[in-house]
Amino acid sequence: MNCPVCKAASLGEITLVHGLPARQCATCAGILLSSNAYMGWLRAKGDDLPEKPVSRPMNPSWDADLLKICPDCGRLMRRFKIFADVEYYLDRCSHCNGIWFDHREWEALAERNLHDNLHEFFTRPWQEGLRAGEAKTRMEAIYLLKFGASDYEKIKDIRAWLQSHPQRNMLLAFLQAEDPYEL
């Protein structure tokens, strides 16, 4: 079993946290985690820990563009984005569900108590939520550019007021009419 990054180094047995075995490359410090081992650990550990606030910004310095081959089954690993605001990806095998952590990726998740949410990152709802968040950020940037900061803040306030107003449809019709006083 060779490291998907170094290609030649073999992976040695380690324990990530109490009761969670994994394998680590001695050269690049990458970690391979079995999905079965992770799910067993998750069930045994009990309560989900609350997410911690970020104590230091996540600033990944690894090469996220490298395609990886699963050391367990030899299939291509697929990259999954984990956070909308950071170029942070994890590699997961679609065949055996093994997860590869580049150097310090596990620690970055553990520091935020997100290591016990790992199974959620690969789900459709998580990935769709990331895409929706990124689309919202892009649209906000466009509106800010088109309207300017002051007008954008005003229109967001008006929109919020209209959303909950009982006469919302009448107010919108009034605003959209060329001459709201003409019959």
Side-chain angles (χ1 to χ4, degrees):
M1 172 180 330
N2 290 337
C3 171
V5 175
C6 301
K7 306 292 187 227
S10 63
L11 305 176
E13 299 285 328
I14 64 163
T15 301
L16 286 175
V17 292
H18 179 71
L20 182 56
R23 292 177 295 215
Q24 186 171 38
C25 176
T27 306
C28 72
I31 297 169
L32 180 66
L33 178 60
S34 159
S35 180
N36 290 336
Y38 175 78
M39 293 308 289
W41 169 80
L42 192 62
R43 281 189 292 277
K45 79 172 207 49
D47 292 337
D48 191 22
L49 300 171
E51 183 176 348
K52 289 182 188 175
V54 179
S55 59
R56 60 187 164 114
M58 294 179 78
N59 187 14
S61 58
W62 46 85
D63 179 12
D65 294 329
L66 180 66
L67 286 176
K68 297 176 179 81
I69 303 297
C70 179
D72 278 341
C73 69
R75 305 266 176 101
L76 192 62
M77 298 185 94
R78 183 171 164 214
R79 295 177 66 217
F80 288 84
K81 190 160 187 178
I82 305 303
F83 302 109
D85 56 346
V86 179
E87 290 298 313
Y88 184 99
Y89 297 87
L90 289 178
D91 300 285
R92 179 173 177 244
C93 179
S94 297
H95 181 70
C96 70
N97 296 324
I99 304 162
W100 179 260
F101 297 89
D102 288 318
H103 180 62
R104 298 238 348 105
E105 285 180 334
W106 173 264
E107 290 84 359
L109 292 175
E111 285 172 3
R112 295 175 72 178
N113 274 346
L114 292 173
H115 61 300
D116 56 358
N117 298 90
L118 189 60
H119 57 294
E120 296 172 19
F121 298 152
F122 308 110
T123 64
R124 176 174 280 154
W126 185 275
Q127 294 299 312
E128 286 174 352
L130 288 178
R131 285 190 289 279
E134 290 172 340
K136 180 181 179 188
T137 300
R138 282 191 302 274
M139 291 305 296
E140 284 179 335
I142 290 169
Y143 291 141
L144 188 59
L145 181 65
K146 295 288 184 187
F147 301 148
S150 177
D151 287 347
Y152 185 42
E153 284 305 311
K154 284 180 191 174
I155 198 66
K156 287 193 307 186
D157 289 342
I158 292 168
R159 187 180 194 304
W161 173 73
L162 276 171
Q163 290 287 32
S164 61
H165 199 284
Q167 296 293 324
R168 178 179 186 266
N169 291 337
M170 288 295 289
L171 292 167
L172 287 171
F174 179 85
L175 288 172
Q176 292 175 336
E178 186 71 31
D179 181 359
Y181 303 104
E182 185 180 279
L183 293 176

